[in-house]
C-alpha cells in the first residue's frame, strides 16, 4: 500500500468518512500553512434525495465547495468536494446533504462545535475570534446556527411551573425579560424591555396547548407582568415568591437604618456606623465577633432592630401548610407592623397585603424565582463577554449558550461518539462550560 493511500485512509478515519464518500487526495501547502483534503463520491452508488431520503440516480455534481475543518497541528484544514445532485422522481434535482457539514454551512460540524466551546470559554467574542482565526460576522453566524440547532432539539412538553423576571441589561433603565422553565432550570426565551408588550411576546413562543398545561408562574409584583399572565394563562396560579418578598423587606430595613443613622449622627452618636451588612446578612452566617456585635445592637431598642425583627418574623409565613393558618399569621404580623410606625416597613406590608392571595399560592406550589435569578447571574457573565458590541449580539450569545452548552458533557447523545477525533474529546473547556446555562441535556448534532 502506497504512502498516499495510507494518508488518505488516515484522514478518512479522522474525518469519520466512509462509503459512499472517500478521501481522493491530501495536499499539504507549507507556505500557506494549510492542509487541503479532497473528498469524492464513489461512483456506482445510488444518490439519496435530501427531501424524502429515497434512493435515486445521480443527475450531476454541484460546483466544488470548500469547508473549514478543525486545524491539524496548527495548519488550517480545508475540505473540498463536489456534491452529487440527486434526480428524485418526486422532488426533482436536489443537491445531496453531506455528512460533515450542515446545508449551506461553510464550516464542518466539528469545527462549529469547537467554535461554540471557544466562544463560551473566552472572555469576549473578539478573543474567541482571534483564537479561531475568524471574523466577528463569522462568529455571529456560528452562534446563530448553534441557536437554531439547539432550538430544533428542544422539547417543551410538560411545562408546569414557569418563572418570569427582568434583568438590567445596559446602562440606565434598560431591561430584558426572561421566561424560564423552573423545573428544568432553563431559559425558554428572552426579549428586550420590561413591559406588558414584552411579556406578551414571550408567551407567543408557547402554543395554546403548552400554555394550557401551565399550573403556576413565579413572578415579581410588577403589575404589567401580572396582567399579562392573567390574560395569557388565566388558569395558572400566580406565585409571588420568597426571594422578592425578602428583597423588599431587606430594602425596607436598610431604609430604616439609613434614616436612624442620620438622626443619630446629628446627635454625635455613631452606634450604627458600619453596621449595614449586619442587618442584611443571615445571622446563621455570622462570625463569632459579628454575632456578639449584632446581639449587643439588638438590645439597644433601635428602630432598625424592630424593622429587622419584622423581616425575620415574616419568614415563618412560608412554613405554614394550611392557607387558613397562614392568613391568620399574616393578619397578626400586619397589625404589629402597622403599629410600629416604621414607614418603609409599613409600605412593604401594605404591598404584601394587596398581593396576599398570590403569596398564599406558594403554599400550594412551593416554587420560587431563585432559578431565574441564578440564570440572571449567568446572563450577566455572558453579557460581559460581548462587551463593546451591539445588544443583539449579546442576545445571540445568551441564546447560543443555553441552546448548546450541554453538548460538551453529553457525548452519549451524539450519533456516534467514536467518530469524533481525539482532540475534540479532550478540549479543556468543560469547567468553563459548567458556568453557563444548564440547557437541553439531550441536544445532539447529526454527523
Amino acid at each position: 500500500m502506497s504512502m498516499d493511500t495510507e494518508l488518505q485512509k488516515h484522514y478518512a478515519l479522522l474525518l469519520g468518512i466512509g462509503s459512499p464518500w472517500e478521501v481522493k487526495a491530501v495536499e499539504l501547502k507549507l507556505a500557506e500553512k494549510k492542509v487541503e483534503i479532497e473528498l469524492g463520491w464513489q461512483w456506482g452508488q445510488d444518490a439519496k434525495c435530501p427531501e424524502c431520503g429515497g434512493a435515486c440516480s445521480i443527475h450531476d455534481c454541484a460546483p466544488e465547495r470548500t469547508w473549514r475543518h478543525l486545524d491539524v497541528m496548527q495548519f488550517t484544514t480545508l475540505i473540498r468536494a463536489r456534491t452529487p445532485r440527486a434526480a428524485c422522481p418526486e422532488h426533482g434535482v436536489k443537491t445531496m446533504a453531506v455528512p460533515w457539514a450542515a446545508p449551506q454551512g461553510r464550516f464542518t460540524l466539528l469545527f462549529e462545535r469547537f467554535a461554540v466551546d471557544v466562544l463560551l470559554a473566552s472572555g469576549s467574542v473578539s478573543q474567541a475570534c482571534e483564537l479561531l482565526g475568524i471574523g466577528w460576522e463569522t462568529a455571529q453566524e456560528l452562534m446563530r446556527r448553534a441557536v437554531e440547532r439547539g432550538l430544533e432539539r428542544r422539547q417543551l412538553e410538560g411545562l408546569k411551573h414557569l418563572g418570569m423576571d427582568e434583568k438590567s441589561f445596559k446602562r440606565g433603565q434598560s431591561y430584558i425579560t426572561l421566561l424560564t422553565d423552573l423545573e428544568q432550570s432553563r431559559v425558554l426565551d428572552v426579549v428586550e424591555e420590561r413591559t406588558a408588550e414584552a411579556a406578551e411576546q414571550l408567551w407567543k413562543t408557547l402554543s395554546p396547548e403548552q400554555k394550557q398545561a401551565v399550573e403556576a408562574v413565579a413572578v415579581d409584583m410588577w403589575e404589567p407582568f401580572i396582567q399579562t399572565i392573567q390574560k395569557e394563562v388565566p388558569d395558572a396560579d400566580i406565585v409571588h415568591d420568597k426571594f422578592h418578598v425578602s428583597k423588599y423587606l431587606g430594602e425596607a430595613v436598610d431604609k430604616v437604618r439609613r434614616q436612624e443613622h442620620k438622626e443619630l449622627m446629628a446627635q454625635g452618636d455613631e452606634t450604627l456606623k458600619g453596621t449595614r451588612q449586619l442587618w442584611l446578612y443571615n445571622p446563621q452566617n455570622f462570625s463569632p465577633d459579628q454575632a456578639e456585635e449584632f446581639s449587643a445592637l439588638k438590645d439597644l431598642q433601635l428602630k432598625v432592630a424592630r424593622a429587622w425583627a419584622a423581616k425575620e418574623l415574616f419568614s415563618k409565613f412560608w412554613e405554614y401548610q394550611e392557607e387558613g393558618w397562614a392568613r391568620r399569621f399574616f393578619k397578626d404580623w400586619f397589625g404589629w407592623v402597622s403599629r410600629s410606625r416604621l414607614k418603609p416597613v409599613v409600605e412593604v406590608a401594605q404591598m404584601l397585603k394587596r398581593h396576599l392571595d398570590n403569596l398564599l399560592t406558594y403554599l400550594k406550589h412551593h416554587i420560587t424565582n431563585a432559578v431565574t435569578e441564578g440564570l440572571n447571574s449567568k446572563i450577566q457573565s455572558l453579557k460581559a463577554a460581548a462587551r463593546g458590541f451591539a445588544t443583539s449580539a449579546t442576545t445571540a450569545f445568551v441564546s447560543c449558550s443555553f441552546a448548546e452548552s450541554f453538548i460538551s458533557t453529553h457525548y452519549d447523545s451524539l450519533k456516534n461518539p467514536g467518530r469524533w477525533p481525539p482532540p475534540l474529546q479532550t478540549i479543556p473547556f468543560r469547567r468553563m462550560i459548567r458556568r453557563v446555562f444548564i440547557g437541553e441535556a439531550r441536544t445532539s448534532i447529526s454527523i
Side-chain angles (χ1 to χ4, degrees):
M1 186 178 291
S2 68
M3 181 67 73
D4 287 344
T5 303
E6 285 288 348
L7 189 61
Q8 292 168 12
K9 184 178 179 179
H10 172 75
Y11 272 96
L13 289 173
L14 286 179
L15 295 173
I17 296 299
S19 180
W21 288 96
E22 62 182 354
V23 177
K24 293 288 189 180
V26 178
E27 183 179 2
L28 175 62
K29 298 183 177 181
L30 289 173
E32 301 176 33
K33 294 187 177 181
K34 287 184 180 180
V35 176
E36 293 190 3
I37 306 169
E38 181 185 352
L39 303 182
W41 183 265
Q42 294 175 344
W43 296 108
Q45 300 284 346
D46 287 337
K48 182 180 291 186
C49 175
E51 297 290 337
C52 63
C56 51
S57 62
I58 294 178
H59 181 269
D60 60 8
C61 284
E64 185 177 81
R65 290 190 58 199
T66 302
W67 296 266
R68 168 86 182 273
H69 188 53
L70 294 170
D71 294 350
V72 175
M73 300 181 70
Q74 300 181 0
F75 277 57
T76 300
T77 304
L78 303 175
I79 293 177
R80 296 186 286 106
R82 294 188 65 189
T83 307
R85 297 203 299 166
C88 179
E90 181 180 354
H91 299 99
V93 178
K94 297 288 184 180
T95 301
M96 290 175 51
V98 296
W100 58 83
Q104 310 304 320
R106 296 185 295 115
F107 301 89
T108 65
L109 289 172
L110 294 180
F111 183 90
E112 291 197 27
R113 177 67 197 93
F114 180 73
V116 169
D117 280 331
V118 175
L119 285 162
L120 290 172
S122 298
S124 67
V125 176
S126 59
Q127 289 179 1
C129 291
E130 184 176 354
L131 290 170
L132 294 168
I134 60 176
W136 173 262
E137 294 298 329
T138 299
Q140 296 305 303
E141 177 63 17
L142 290 173
M143 290 190 286
R144 184 190 65 79
R145 293 169 64 84
V147 171
E148 291 178 353
R149 288 195 295 271
L151 294 180
E152 286 174 0
R153 292 162 176 80
R154 187 172 64 170
Q155 302 296 321
L156 294 181
E157 288 75 17
L159 296 176
K160 294 183 179 180
H161 296 138
L162 304 184
M164 182 175 287
D165 202 3
E166 79 280 350
K167 172 66 181 174
S168 174
F169 196 55
K170 296 186 293 184
R171 294 181 179 180
Q173 298 298 313
S174 297
Y175 295 89
I176 57 173
T177 302
L178 302 91
L179 185 65
T180 55
D181 177 2
L182 299 180
E183 293 186 342
Q184 297 193 43
S185 301
R186 56 179 178 169
V187 173
L188 299 179
D189 209 344
V190 181
V191 296
E192 295 186 38
E193 304 297 340
R194 182 187 60 166
T195 61
E197 292 75 16
E200 289 179 0
Q201 186 178 345
L202 286 175
W203 288 111
K204 288 179 181 178
T205 62
L206 303 182
S207 67
E209 293 75 18
Q210 290 166 339
K211 289 191 284 188
Q212 185 66 32
V214 177
E215 297 179 2
V217 183
V219 68
D220 193 4
M221 299 176 193
W222 179 249
E223 197 60 34
F225 285 178
I226 296 174
Q227 293 175 359
T228 305
I229 294 171
Q230 292 172 337
K231 175 184 176 182
E232 298 292 337
V233 282
D235 296 331
D237 290 333
I238 295 174
V239 180
H240 298 319
D241 65 8
K242 297 186 291 184
F243 176 85
H244 287 105
V245 173
S246 178
K247 175 183 176 182
Y248 289 131
L249 288 171
E251 291 173 349
V253 171
D254 197 47
K255 288 181 180 179
V256 173
R257 181 199 60 81
R258 292 201 305 268
Q259 292 172 0
E260 188 171 19
H261 176 55
K262 185 177 180 180
E263 295 171 0
L264 292 175
M265 287 296 291
Q267 302 170 17
D269 189 339
E270 298 184 349
T271 298
L272 291 178
K273 185 176 181 179
T275 65
R276 178 177 181 272
Q277 301 304 327
L278 293 176
W279 302 106
L280 299 180
Y281 280 3
N282 186 338
Q284 295 179 354
N285 298 328
F286 283 167
S287 66
D289 291 342
Q290 289 175 323
E292 182 178 354
E293 180 183 1
F294 189 65
S295 178
L297 285 172
K298 289 193 299 181
D299 295 336
L300 296 179
Q301 302 298 318
L302 296 167
K303 294 179 182 178
V304 66
R306 287 188 286 128
W308 176 87
K311 176 179 75 73
E312 291 298 303
L313 181 59
F314 191 83
S315 63
K316 301 295 183 182
F317 175 86
W318 311 110
E319 300 176 6
Y320 285 97
Q321 299 181 4
E322 299 293 335
E323 180 180 324
W325 286 106
R327 284 187 180 274
R328 181 174 179 178
F329 169 86
F330 184 86
K331 181 180 179 181
D332 293 341
W333 177 85
F334 181 81
W336 176 61
V337 169
S338 298
R339 294 188 295 272
S340 70
R341 294 182 295 181
L342 300 172
K343 185 177 178 181
V345 183
V346 172
E347 289 176 348
V348 173
Q350 291 172 342
M351 178 181 65
L352 296 181
K353 184 178 181 180
R354 293 194 298 271
H355 295 276
L356 179 58
D357 288 342
N358 293 336
L359 295 174
L360 293 166
T361 52
Y362 172 84
L363 308 182
K364 176 181 177 181
H365 298 284
H366 294 282
I367 61 173
T368 75
N369 250 338
V371 169
T372 307
E373 292 299 323
L375 293 171
N376 278 348
S377 66
K378 293 170 185 177
I379 288 176
Q380 185 69 31
S381 299
L382 294 172
K383 183 179 72 172
R387 58 185 176 273
F389 297 97
T391 298
S392 58
T394 302
T395 304
F397 197 72
V398 170
S399 300
C400 168
S401 301
F402 82 75
E404 291 216 328
S405 64
F406 240 79
I407 301 177
S408 61
T409 53
H410 288 272
Y411 281 99
D412 62 304
S413 66
L414 297 175
K415 182 178 180 181
N416 189 348
R419 291 169 56 184
W420 290 72
L424 188 64
Q425 298 185 24
T426 59
I427 48 177
F429 299 121
R430 300 181 188 276
R431 184 173 59 183
M432 298 293 291
I433 292 170
R434 293 192 188 101
R435 291 164 46 188
V436 299
F437 283 111
I438 305 301
E440 290 296 330
R442 290 294 168 188
T443 306
S444 61
I445 292 180
S446 298
I447 57 175

